[in-house]
């Protein structure tokens, strides 16, 4: 087993990198990949950069250059269900969709990529269960939900956009990388899961302030849960 762990920003992966033993770094396709041991597991940790293209590139490099057998996406997300998901809560993916993929004028349903039969990319059940167990053990005070993650190349802040994503896809949270990692994982036959801590609530007053305030705390909480998860795999 070799686990690739992807976060979009430094704050999402710096804790994991600091915990690596026997660490070494390789620069591939414009990005630094940090290999080492996280506990007893071989891992590669990478900051992919923001957005689906960056995330997809990193997932592919982890699969074919580093030979990673499992992929985990860690980081922060915006809550699409403010009644059930507050800041600091955790979402573990059942599946992922690209909420900004639209070719409906050509007869496709929202989010469906031509050539595919399903809108969603299904997360690995064993990895999902491992993430849920790790959260319960490492952070029992954290409220956790399993559900759909919606990804798009936009920071969702308006209520109209939030409502469209919820009504169309039934997602619990939104972010900018998970579904691209999911698509690359599926293409390579590599199991994946997305684990995201809530940092803000799109469509609410003061969202930008919430994001700035809770970004680091939420990201670090998620990284620590992922660290515990990896130990149990």
């Amino acid at each position: 087993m070799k686990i690739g762990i992807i976060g979009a920003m430094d704050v999402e992966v710096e804790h994991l990198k600091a915990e690596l033993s026997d660490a070494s770094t390789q620069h591939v396709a414009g990005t630094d990949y940090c290999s080492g041991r996280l506990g007893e597991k071989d891992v590669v940790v990478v900051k992919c950069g923001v957005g689906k293209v960056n995330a997809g590139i990193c997932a592919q490099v982890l699969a074919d250059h580093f030979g990673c057998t499992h992929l985990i996406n860690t980081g922060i997300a915006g809550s699409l269900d403010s009644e059930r998901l507050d800041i600091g809560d955790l979402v573990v993916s059942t599946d992922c969709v690209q909420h900004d993929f639209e070719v409906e004028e050509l007869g496709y349903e929202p989010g469906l990529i031509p050539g595919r039969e399903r809108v969603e990319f299904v997360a690995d059940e064993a990895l999902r269960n491992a993430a849920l167990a790790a959260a319960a053990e490492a952070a029992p005070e954290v409220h956790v939900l399993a559900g759909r993650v919606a990804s798009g190349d936009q920071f969702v802040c308006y209520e109209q956009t939030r409502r469209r994503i919820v009504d169309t896809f039934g997602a619990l949270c939104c972010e900018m990388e998970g579904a691209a990692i999911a698509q690359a994982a599926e293409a390579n036959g590599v199991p994946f899961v997305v684990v995201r801590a809530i940092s803000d609530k799109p469509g609410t007053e003061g969202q930008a302030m919430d994001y700035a305030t809770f970004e680091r705390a939420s990201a670090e909480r998620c990284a620590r849960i992922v660290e515990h998860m990896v130990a149990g795999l």
Side-chain angles (χ1 to χ4, degrees), residues 11-224:
V11 69
E12 295 173 328
V13 296
E14 59 190 11
H15 169 77
L16 294 165
K17 288 183 177 181
E19 294 299 313
L20 292 181
S21 59
D22 302 322
S24 62
T25 300
Q26 294 184 55
H27 192 74
V28 182
T31 303
D32 290 330
Y33 294 78
C34 192
S35 301
R37 301 273 290 176
L38 191 59
E40 299 299 317
K41 300 297 190 304
D42 290 323
V43 303
V44 184
V45 181
V46 58
K47 180 193 79 170
C48 67
V50 174
K52 292 189 297 179
V53 173
N54 284 328
I57 290 170
C58 281
Q60 185 62 45
V61 170
L62 287 170
D64 61 21
H65 184 86
F66 290 95
C68 289
T69 60
H70 299 72
L71 294 178
I72 301 171
N73 177 214
T74 182
I76 55 180
S79 170
L80 295 174
D81 188 337
S82 59
E83 292 186 1
R84 293 195 295 163
L85 280 172
D86 204 350
I87 291 171
D89 292 345
L90 199 76
V91 173
V92 179
S93 66
T94 55
D95 56 27
C96 299
V97 298
Q98 296 185 35
H99 70 76
D100 62 346
F101 197 99
E102 297 182 4
V103 286
E104 297 169 60
E105 295 301 322
L106 298 178
Y108 295 90
E109 64 180 293
L112 182 62
I113 299 170
R116 300 191 78 247
E117 296 181 353
R118 303 173 65 172
V119 170
E120 71 275 17
F121 297 90
V122 180
D124 181 71
E125 183 178 5
L127 288 179
R128 180 173 70 251
N129 289 338
L132 293 170
E137 294 168 2
E141 75 283 2
V142 175
H143 176 57
V144 185
L145 287 179
R148 175 166 289 178
V149 174
S151 306
D153 285 323
Q154 57 186 206
F155 181 76
V156 176
C157 55
Y158 297 113
E159 170 60 19
Q160 181 179 0
T161 308
R162 185 199 71 83
R163 175 50 56 190
R164 177 188 66 81
I165 298 171
V166 172
D167 289 347
T168 305
F169 299 104
L172 287 179
C173 69
C174 58
E175 36 84 291
M176 300 177 69
E177 296 83 27
I181 293 167
Q183 184 174 354
E186 180 184 275
N188 287 276
V190 174
F192 80 91
V193 72
V194 176
V195 184
R196 295 276 183 158
I198 300 300
S199 60
D200 58 287
K201 297 180 179 181
T204 61
E205 185 177 352
Q207 182 205 356
M209 183 179 297
D210 286 344
Y211 179 85
T213 302
F214 296 106
E215 173 190 33
R216 174 166 294 276
S218 296
E220 290 182 350
R221 168 176 286 179
C222 193
R224 292 179 186 278

